[in-house]
Amino acid sequence: MRVAVIGTGHVGLVTAACLAHVGHDVIGMDDDAQRIATLQRGHMPIYEPVLEAIVEGSQAAGRLRFTTDFRAAVRDRQAALICMNTPAQPNGGADLSAVENTTRLIAGAGPPDLLVVEKSTAPANACAWIERTLAIYGGAREVEVASNPEFLREGSAVHDYLHPARVVVGVKSARAAERLRDLYGPILEGRFDCPVHNLCPWNGDVPFLVTNVQGAELIKHASNAFLASKISFINAVADVCERVGANVVQVAQGMGLDPRIGPSFLQPGLGFGGSCFTKDVCAFLRLAEELGVDFGLLREVDRINRRRIDVAADKLRKALWVLRGKRVGLLGLAFKPHTDDVRHAPSLSLAARLVEEGAEVVGYDPQACQAARAVMPTLAIADDPYGVAEGAEALVLVTEWPEFISLDWARVKQAMRRAIILDGRNALDREKLLAEGFEYIGMGR
Ligand code: UGA
């Protein structure tokens, strides 16, 4: 199928690369000329495992091109997938200006039977607005707009795109459902060379759920809000565990063994970061308010999450007494492992809080040092984890990168002034650290 992917951010680039990898003819379009030039040279503007290899492979096979020329991108396409950034506005709602601009351009340039597919995370009713905008700026021509929410996670985005738990499409017509079924056919049936596994355990057979447009839009928002709620729930449980003397890891395990609850997203710690959960919880709350629905639960989810930084700062204060003048090292700056994304990263909120209290903060991340420096130029960055430990009175594990789990802890201890470690993700081997002579502080353990 001939596909245009409008927007080459995290979702757009992975979408373009994966659809090309499974055999479609894809053009990725972005008005960021520098980004497109980077991609045309075969370099990646973001760090995402496996992405570079499949972009390179599909470019070489002639199935994937990148352009800044909007007309050329959509002119002869059967589907245009909108993957635009929808950042949060100060009032919590999503800023849809990029989606609207794209829609206006499509209205003037798309072929008559183009199917417009909205993949950006946008509030319910966004597709209706896109359809109206297409009619206004496209000379009353009727273009169908479908919703096809994306559920990929940063850091395992290619894996998730090619091995989805479900593909959801929100449509008005059988024709649109059929076209989207064709688009995802190779993925639904596992008809592609897996770039992720040597021996792919995937057997295809992915549920393909067809709903109306509003239903698909809500599935995305409700899924993210629910996952975020699970995280805040277990974080509140972690605080209770500490006070009653229980271990939250065991409590989460005991809860997760119930198949109605499930074990995933019950990892307590510094809370959720990233552009998605933080933004989507607020946007969903805002949407509910606009519709007159009291969804105060989401306000609590957000509040509990923000408090994780207070909890971590309290723990450090308790261990160090005075923070002023003390050096605290942060292991990990990305909002999660295997990405270089620092948007809403707990590392930066914690760093800002500690600096406010007079501490000297130094951090390191295997991929996100540059991104962190761009957002917080005053943050000292070390060359490696041992540099973070140098002269530190406490270390905080902020992001559970595998390389931090298997550090040479004797070397770390030797470099530190005081061997205190706050395991902000409950990911370290507590017994081993205690045996090495560290003072170990967990989250709810
Ligand atoms: C999330 C969703 O998981 C995806 O399904 C969705 O497509 C994506 O948002 C999106 O809307 O684009 P992502 O934000 O990339 O994906 O990463 P997650 O793995 O969900 O982690 C989000 C945050 O929650 C991270 O900071 C992580 O450390 C934290 N987390 C996750 C916890 O604190 N505890 C957990 O048990 C799980």
Side-chain angles (χ1 to χ4, degrees), residues 36-368:
I36 291 298
T38 303
L39 287 163
Q40 284 169 339
R41 281 198 305 273
H43 299 306
M44 289 302 103
I46 51 169
Y47 172 74
E48 181 63 52
V50 194
L51 186 61
E52 187 162 3
I54 61 168
V55 168
E56 233 175 66
S58 297
Q59 274 177 317
R63 287 193 306 271
L64 179 60
R65 286 166 289 155
F66 293 101
T67 182
T68 52
D69 181 345
F70 193 87
R71 285 187 173 276
V74 296
R75 198 170 35 215
D76 64 345
R77 301 286 106 177
Q78 294 160 287
L81 278 53
I82 303 179
C83 301
M84 304 307 288
N85 200 8
T86 53
Q89 301 188 95
N91 66 8
D95 176 355
L96 298 177
S97 52
V99 175
E100 199 213 17
N101 284 341
T102 303
T103 309
R104 289 165 66 155
L105 289 168
I106 292 177
D113 76 329
L114 181 73
L115 177 67
V116 174
V117 183
E118 157 58 17
K119 277 186 90 64
S120 332
T121 303
N125 289 337
C127 286
W129 271 107
I130 293 173
E131 213 163 84
R132 224 169 291 160
T133 308
L134 285 169
I136 294 166
Y137 295 95
R141 190 157 53 88
E142 262 196 32
V143 179
E144 180 166 350
V145 179
S147 168
N148 169 220
E150 190 45 65
F151 303 104
L152 57 81
R153 293 162 298 172
E154 289 187 24
S156 53
V158 173
H159 171 279
D160 294 353
Y161 201 97
L162 295 173
H163 307 84
R166 76 289 208 196
V167 171
V168 175
V169 299
V171 294
K172 287 210 301 204
S173 73
R175 172 186 153 270
E178 198 49 43
R179 193 169 290 186
L180 286 164
R181 176 75 185 65
D182 289 347
L183 182 70
Y184 283 103
I187 293 173
L188 296 172
E189 292 148 23
R191 284 187 279 112
F192 59 88
D193 282 337
C194 178
V196 182
H197 307 101
N198 287 333
L199 270 180
C200 184
W202 193 242
N203 57 2
D205 206 11
V206 180
F208 182 69
L209 180 64
V210 182
T211 67
N212 69 4
V213 172
Q214 293 83 346
E217 289 173 323
L218 276 183
I219 287 170
K220 167 72 186 195
H221 254 144
S223 298
N224 271 7
F226 186 76
L227 291 171
S229 306
K230 262 187 117 173
I231 298 170
S232 280
F233 188 91
I234 200 66
N235 276 327
V237 171
D239 291 350
V240 175
C241 282
E242 277 182 12
R243 284 166 181 76
V244 300
N247 181 346
V248 72
V249 177
Q250 291 170 349
V251 173
Q253 189 189 6
M255 290 167 63
L257 284 169
D258 182 333
R260 292 170 303 173
I261 297 174
S264 56
F265 281 74
L266 286 180
Q267 213 100 55
L270 293 170
F272 56 81
S275 69
C276 304
F277 285 173
T278 320
K279 180 187 72 170
D280 290 357
V281 165
C282 295
F284 200 23
L285 179 61
R286 169 104 189 143
L287 175 74
E289 273 169 1
E290 278 169 11
L291 297 170
V293 177
D294 182 359
F295 210 158
L297 171 66
L298 295 182
R299 198 170 297 112
E300 278 309 299
V301 168
D302 180 49
R303 202 182 63 83
I304 292 170
N305 196 54
R306 287 173 197 271
R307 263 203 36 82
R308 299 320 288 163
I309 300 303
D310 302 333
V311 169
D314 283 351
K315 283 173 182 282
L316 286 170
R317 228 178 282 113
K318 233 182 196 164
L320 293 171
W321 186 28
V322 171
L323 288 175
R324 185 163 298 282
K326 297 211 170 116
R327 188 173 160 98
V328 178
L330 305 183
L331 293 172
L333 300 169
F335 82 95
K336 62 180 282 190
H338 308 292
T339 176
D340 57 357
D341 195 343
V342 297
R343 285 176 291 174
H344 297 282
S347 61
L348 300 184
S349 318
L350 183 60
R353 168 66 60 83
L354 296 175
V355 167
E356 216 175 84
E357 297 196 28
E360 191 192 317
V361 182
V362 56
Y364 169 77
D365 190 282
Q367 291 294 336

Side-chain angles (χ1 to χ4, degrees), residues 366-421:
Q367 291 294 336
C369 289
Q370 208 182 330
R373 202 176 277 127
V375 180
M376 196 175 182
T378 52
L379 180 68
I381 306 267
D383 292 337
D384 60 30
Y386 302 102
V388 172
E390 205 58 57
E393 308 230 8
L395 282 184
V396 185
L397 179 82
V398 182
T399 317
E400 65 279 34
W401 282 93
E403 73 169 80
F404 295 151
I405 311 301
S406 53
L407 286 176
D408 175 348
W409 290 105
R411 186 175 160 199
V412 171
K413 182 163 181 265
Q414 209 167 28
M416 292 179 75
R417 222 159 155 197
R418 275 183 74 188
I420 296 176
I421 188 131

